[in-house]
Amino acid sequence: NAGVTQTPKFQVLKTGQSMTLQCAQDMNHNSMYWYRQDPGMGLRLIYYSASEGTTDKGEVPNGYNVSRLNKREFSLRLESAAPSQTSVYFCASSGKNYGYTFGSGTRLTVV
Amino acid sequence: AQSVSQHNHHVILSEAASLELGCNYSYGGTVNLFWYVQYPGQHLQLLLKYFSGDPLVKGIKGFEAEFIKSKFSFNLRKPSVQWSDTAEYFCAVTAGNQGGKLIFGQGTELSVKP
């Protein structure tokens, strides 16, 4: 089925560990996004990529890095995880007419 | 910077009651407006969107929203809610000069009592 695929779905990290969240879309969308969702705060944009080869900071980029590997894939890396990064992470992509598609999310716990 | 504000954090209604969820945004230029729903344990689903034209937009599951440019508002309405509407609702905006970034409000949790 066409859409946005995120891996893993769940992850527990210890403080200081690193990990990469993977995201891939098969809709030929130019733009891709990473959000985090926290109770009472909605979804906040971490990083986005308007097109292959470009990335830009969103509202809450500190502690994260991203890579737009190709048009399909956009990964999010936590170099040194902190408890404040415990959250649900959503990847999204958009094409013409701002048709956004969201992945099913990654629930990350940092202990 | 562009922002979105949802007035109600948690709304509790009985079945068949009418619903209106408030959403205001801060941006003076052209905007595209969205309402998303997130059912428990699931990802976001699009309810409706407004780009231009008729300011009264109809979406899925009987929801509608009205864009009032002078009030910078895009409130979500449903005449008669059902227990299955229990979910979290998010208003979101993209602005013309923001490169397509979707900025979300804080969300409103709706609980519908059977």
Side-chain angles (χ1 to χ4, degrees):
Chain A
N1 289 337
V4 176
T5 303
Q6 288 182 237
T7 55
K9 293 189 183 303
F10 301 94
Q11 184 71 50
V12 179
L13 290 178
K14 294 182 179 179
T15 297
Q17 286 185 315
S18 62
M19 78 162 295
T20 299
L21 281 64
Q22 306 288 353
C23 175
Q25 53 92 7
D26 58 6
M27 295 167 288
N28 203 35
H29 283 168
N30 284 324
S31 301
M32 298 185 73
Y33 313 84
W34 276 105
Y35 291 88
R36 61 177 288 173
Q37 182 180 19
D38 302 289
M41 304 190 78
L43 280 80
R44 292 179 293 169
L45 184 64
I46 304 171
Y47 270 94
Y48 69 103
S49 171
S51 61
E52 185 179 355
T54 67
T55 61
D56 285 287
K57 296 178 180 179
E59 302 166 84
V60 289
N62 291 345
Y64 305 95
N65 285 301
V66 290
S67 295
R68 183 74 182 267
L69 304 170
N70 47 54
K71 192 170 187 178
R72 290 187 63 248
E73 298 172 288
F74 188 40
S75 62
L76 178 71
R77 183 161 178 82
L78 286 70
E79 292 290 351
S80 179
S84 61
Q85 294 178 305
T86 293
S87 188
V88 180
Y89 292 84
F90 288 97
C91 178
S93 68
S94 69
K96 292 181 180 180
N97 297 323
Y98 301 102
Y100 292 87
T101 301
F102 286 84
S104 57
T106 296
R107 187 171 295 274
L108 174 67
T109 302
V110 183
V111 298
Chain B
Q2 163 190 5
S3 66
V4 180
S5 178
Q6 293 181 241
H7 316 298
N8 312 103
H9 295 297
H10 192 187
V11 173
I12 302 173
L13 295 173
S14 297
E15 275 194 318
S18 64
L19 170 72
E20 181 161 2
L21 301 182
C23 173
N24 287 89
Y25 63 92
S26 64
Y27 182 69
T30 302
V31 293
N32 302 306
L33 299 154
F34 305 77
W35 275 99
Y36 285 87
V37 61
Q38 186 178 36
Y39 297 103
Q42 297 188 25
H43 61 90
L44 291 160
Q45 299 176 37
L46 180 67
L47 276 178
L48 48 81
K49 60 186 177 183
Y50 172 81
F51 288 168
S52 63
D54 188 343
L56 185 61
V57 181
K58 294 192 183 299
I60 62 172
K61 306 186 180 188
F63 286 91
E64 64 179 31
E66 185 175 13
F67 171 51
I68 302 180
K69 188 174 182 179
S70 61
K71 295 185 178 181
F72 297 89
S73 71
F74 190 56
N75 291 355
L76 181 71
R77 301 194 292 248
K78 186 172 184 178
S80 176
V81 295
Q82 301 172 324
W83 176 79
S84 58
D85 293 324
T86 294
E88 190 157 18
Y89 293 80
F90 294 94
C91 181
V93 174
T94 65
N97 67 349
Q98 297 294 312
K101 295 184 294 182
L102 196 57
I103 304 301
F104 286 86
Q106 306 92 320
T108 297
E109 185 179 350
L110 173 65
S111 300
V112 180
K113 297 180 178 180

